[in-house]
Amino acid sequence: MPLDQVRVSTRHTLNCANEATVAALESPFSLGPMDHIVPAMLTIEGIFVYRKPAKFVGDNFLTIERLKVAASHLLDYYPHLTGRLQQNPVSQALEIGSLGAGAELWEAQCPRRLSSIAVSAFSARILVTFLPDSGNAVLPIFHSTMGAVSHNPIFAIQHTRFGCGGVALGIRVHHQVCDATGFMQLVRDLAEIYRQLRDSSPPTLISPPEIFSYFRGTNSLSASQKEKALAFKPVDYCLDENATDISEADPPSVSSYPLRFQGQELITIKNAAIDPNAQEPTSFTRFELISAYLYQRIYQARLQVLRNKGLTPDAKSLEPLRSFWTTMDMRDSTRLKLPARYFPNAVYCPSASASHELLEKGALWEVAQLIHDTIHSVDMNQVKQQFEWVAAQPNKRHIRFKEKVPRGCLVATQWSRGKTYAGVDFDVTVDAKRIAPSLVSPAFSEGYRVNGLAIIMSTEEELPRGQRTRRSSAPDNLLRAVDVQLTLDGPVWDVLNTDSNFVALHS
């Protein structure tokens, strides 16, 4: 087979280690209002790459056999993931039936060595774009059609063994059942159970997950609550019996590349975002700073693309390009106060639109302030009432967003609010040191080929110093680096790549 080809040799069906777990679960399993508003064909996908240490003895590094056992014990805590999505005949909402049909574990091999995939011998960094098929080959296959909904497993893992003994875990979960934070919780729970299997005692999660959705279905509301919920006029949603889910596809030239913002570069951006006239400047998060930087730079690049074509767009045609969308995790105690171990979707999506003048020539601190204010001005009581309204609707198929995400805008999302590399170590070295992943990344799959998507993530620099490689260690006095998986149209990339400042920042 070709040198970089990944070959799947076996597909295992996974079910709960304790069969009584599924039997005790309600069937069908209801989802909640924050799940119902997720696009039906979207998945959460993560790639976790682990190098096999040079001194690791034998072939028992992150084995498929132990992973299979660990996943079965994991499903005792997430039994609904053994089912299949189906549509409720009354409410038209997706729910989970066929409990016990099973999750899947794919066993695959790739002859390449991870050292040959690394960017260079000096950095030793593995980038998702250099993995086979930009990482898609190490993910289990997913059929992204409406007809395949009831056949796709909700939860699937692909274990790919490379020629050097290293392993890539490609993990996919249907977005209808969880968001990025829930996804990372699931992976950490799998890693914790895998580690516990080294002992003789049965693996146990000290803090079990909360798998039941907030305001599940209309049965969770009393008659008076339902009446009150239906009377509410939501800001973000409406009912439309005639609307379709078909949207215009993004151009085929859309491509995704990983960017790394090093600590010193983040300090430069942070300094540029200080209001010189403020007595107490706003304390922006790294997410807000990077979002503001990309928001402005990408808009300027889009303007240059239009000018290169000899076009002079009017204000109305520029309006979609000025739109900014982001995501907020509602688990926080200052938000919807959901359980800390809440697994289902818990995301709200605020948006903003800056003026042409601000994005073209304004100060970075003004753009960052706009994003900061957008996030911090969200009315949590209104968000709660909107989700109650969604839960109370008798026909979920009629629920629509009042405003669609405009093509060409920027959507900036935190793939995980936590430390992405932390807690996802499965094996240990001969001297019992945890083996952290060399790469944690989303994949450039079909559902994420969106012209203007920035997935902002933490890096291995968030790990304790003892778990970092020598090359990835950053001075403690600097901000930790941040990775961004950025997806843009080809002509926009062409402009950005000729911008000396942008190239210098991300070389």
Side-chain angles (χ1 to χ4, degrees), residues 452-473:
L453 174 63
I455 302 178
I456 300 175
M457 308 172 63
S458 61
T459 69
E460 74 281 353
E461 290 184 5
E462 298 284 0
L463 291 168
R465 182 165 290 276
Q467 292 186 45
R468 292 185 242 160
T469 63
R470 182 174 55 85
R471 295 185 179 110
S472 68
S473 295

Side-chain angles (χ1 to χ4, degrees), residues 203-488:
T204 303
L205 294 179
I206 298 175
S207 178
E210 175 56 68
I211 66 172
F212 295 103
S213 296
Y214 186 59
F215 288 134
R216 290 181 302 144
T218 55
N219 292 333
S220 299
L221 302 177
S222 66
S224 61
Q225 287 175 320
K226 185 176 179 181
E227 182 179 1
K228 181 180 178 182
L230 291 172
F232 179 73
K233 303 298 181 184
V235 174
D236 300 308
Y237 308 107
C238 65
L239 297 177
D240 187 347
E241 298 181 15
N242 301 315
T244 65
D245 293 325
I246 299 175
S247 59
E248 188 179 356
D250 279 297
S253 60
V254 165
S255 55
S256 182
Y257 295 103
L259 307 178
R260 172 157 293 200
F261 289 76
Q262 300 286 1
Q264 186 57 57
E265 296 158 352
L266 289 173
I267 291 175
T268 300
I269 294 174
K270 183 178 179 180
N271 291 337
I274 296 175
D275 179 357
N277 301 315
Q279 291 184 347
E280 294 185 13
T282 304
S283 179
F284 299 118
T285 65
R286 288 181 301 175
F287 175 77
E288 292 167 343
L289 289 170
I290 294 173
S291 295
Y293 175 83
L294 293 175
Y295 185 22
Q296 188 168 41
R297 284 302 181 96
I298 291 169
Y299 182 77
Q300 293 167 348
R302 293 193 192 283
L303 289 178
Q304 189 59 50
V305 170
L306 295 173
R307 294 188 183 108
N308 291 345
K309 294 179 180 179
L311 300 175
T312 305
D314 56 29
K316 187 174 182 180
S317 65
L318 289 173
E319 190 174 346
L321 306 183
R322 300 201 306 269
S323 185
F324 173 83
W325 290 67
T326 187
T327 56
M328 290 179 65
D329 187 343
M330 293 289 107
R331 292 169 179 80
D332 196 286
S333 60
T334 63
R335 297 176 181 174
L336 289 188
K337 301 179 182 179
L338 298 172
R341 296 270 292 154
Y342 188 79
F343 175 66
N345 285 285
V347 170
Y348 176 72
C349 301
S351 62
S353 182
S355 68
H356 167 75
E357 293 73 19
L358 174 58
L359 289 176
E360 185 182 33
K361 297 180 179 179
L364 182 62
W365 69 262
E366 294 178 287
V367 183
Q369 190 68 54
L370 173 71
I371 291 175
H372 178 86
D373 292 344
T374 298
I375 293 171
H376 289 268
S377 64
V378 171
D379 185 331
M380 295 303 157
N381 185 56
Q382 187 179 84
V383 172
K384 180 175 179 290
Q385 288 178 290
Q386 289 200 116
F387 286 128
E388 288 174 344
W389 180 88
V390 172
Q393 293 305 315
N395 190 324
K396 302 296 189 291
R397 290 189 67 183
H398 294 164
I399 301 171
R400 307 292 177 196
F401 284 96
K402 285 184 178 179
E403 182 183 353
K404 289 187 176 180
V405 179
R407 292 189 65 214
C409 74
L410 177 65
V411 179
T413 177
Q414 287 179 288
W415 206 63
S416 172
R417 293 183 71 198
K419 298 176 180 179
T420 315
Y421 281 72
V424 290
D425 47 287
F426 287 77
D427 242 317
V428 296
T429 63
V430 290
D431 52 355
K433 291 184 178 179
R434 293 186 172 192
I435 301 173
S438 297
L439 172 70
V440 177
S441 174
F444 181 51
S445 60
E446 184 175 343
Y448 291 89
R449 294 180 185 184
V450 178
N451 185 13
L453 174 63
I455 302 178
I456 300 175
M457 308 172 63
S458 61
T459 69
E460 74 281 353
E461 290 184 5
E462 298 284 0
L463 291 168
R465 182 165 290 276
Q467 292 186 45
R468 292 185 242 160
T469 63
R470 182 174 55 85
R471 295 185 179 110
S472 68
S473 295
D476 289 330
N477 61 339
L478 284 181
L479 292 173
R480 302 293 182 224
V482 171
D483 280 343
V484 180
Q485 193 74 17
L486 183 61
T487 309
L488 293 169

Side-chain angles (χ1 to χ4, degrees), residues 89-210:
V90 177
S91 70
Q92 300 298 304
L94 286 181
E95 60 188 11
I96 301 177
S98 303
L99 296 172
E104 289 188 352
L105 174 60
W106 296 32
E107 186 174 357
Q109 297 79 36
C110 179
R112 294 189 66 186
R113 300 179 66 85
L114 291 174
S115 58
S116 70
I117 295 174
V119 177
S120 69
F122 174 75
S123 71
R125 285 183 61 204
I126 297 173
L127 301 181
V128 67
T129 48
F130 292 153
L131 290 173
D133 191 22
S134 295
N136 288 291
V138 300
L139 283 166
I141 292 174
F142 177 80
H143 300 287
S144 56
T145 63
M146 287 302 296
V149 169
S150 61
H151 301 290
N152 286 318
I154 295 174
F155 173 38
I157 307 170
Q158 181 170 314
H159 176 287
T160 303
R161 177 80 65 184
F162 288 86
C164 57
V167 170
L169 297 181
I171 302 177
R172 172 179 277 136
V173 180
H174 205 292
H175 202 340
Q176 206 84 31
V177 302
C178 74
D179 54 23
T181 300
F183 174 85
M184 287 303 301
Q185 173 183 299
L186 181 76
V187 178
R188 289 188 178 103
D189 287 349
L190 176 62
E192 181 178 341
I193 290 174
Y194 184 98
R195 293 192 299 268
Q196 289 184 27
L197 287 174
R198 290 194 292 265
D199 303 323
S200 57
S201 57
T204 303
L205 294 179
I206 298 175
S207 178
E210 175 56 68

